[in-house]
Amino acid sequence: QVQLVESGGGSVQPGGSLRLSCAASGNIESIGSTGWYRQAPGKQRELVAHITKGGSTNTVDYLKGRFIISRDNAKNTVYLQMNGLKAEDTAVYYCNAEITAIYRISRTYWGQGTQVTVSS
């Protein structure tokens, strides 16, 4: 059984930093593209950043320069480094990934989310 688990969320003051982790576990054959999303209260879930298996990245324009996505394929883990956090970054952050489990076809998995709160 494949699982995605996010961690690293918490409360931070404006201007602070957090690093989120998204770890995949289970009977995994390969992990393809992975993305970080966020959902603020009363708003739709939105894409934050995306990284391919080969390491090509794409971050939404208004977060470039503050948010950086990276991955460690040996650890089946994707990271989101968030710097210069603002109150409007407060949201539940989710990761998703295209994962091929052993003897299974590829499908998209979602983690359970991790809360990030930016407040003074």
Side-chain angles (χ1 to χ4, degrees):
Q1 187 174 355
V2 173
Q3 281 189 314
L4 280 180
V5 178
E6 300 100 333
S7 61
S11 295
V12 64
Q13 292 186 341
S17 297
L18 285 173
R19 189 177 81 153
L20 306 183
S21 298
C22 172
S25 63
N27 297 323
I28 296 170
E29 180 177 310
S30 66
I31 301 176
S33 296
T34 302
W36 280 100
Y37 293 74
R38 69 184 185 183
Q39 187 166 18
K43 295 187 177 181
Q44 291 188 333
R45 191 172 298 187
E46 62 179 5
L47 175 68
V48 171
H50 173 269
I51 186 167
T52 67
K53 183 177 182 178
S56 296
T57 64
N58 183 40
T59 304
V60 295
D61 286 344
Y62 57 88
L63 294 176
K64 285 181 179 176
R66 294 198 298 124
F67 286 22
I68 302 169
I69 189 171
S70 62
R71 68 189 291 161
D72 184 336
N73 290 333
K75 295 182 179 180
N76 288 341
T77 301
V78 173
Y79 305 96
L80 183 68
Q81 178 67 43
M82 306 186 295
N83 301 318
L85 284 163
K86 305 176 181 179
E88 52 262 42
D89 295 320
T90 295
V92 179
Y93 285 72
Y94 300 89
C95 69
N96 83 350
E98 295 175 11
I99 298 176
T100 303
I102 295 173
Y103 304 128
R104 297 285 188 270
I105 61 173
S106 177
R107 55 160 283 196
T108 299
Y109 291 81
W110 285 90
Q112 82 290 348
T114 185
Q115 176 71 46
V116 171
T117 302
V118 184
S119 173
S120 56

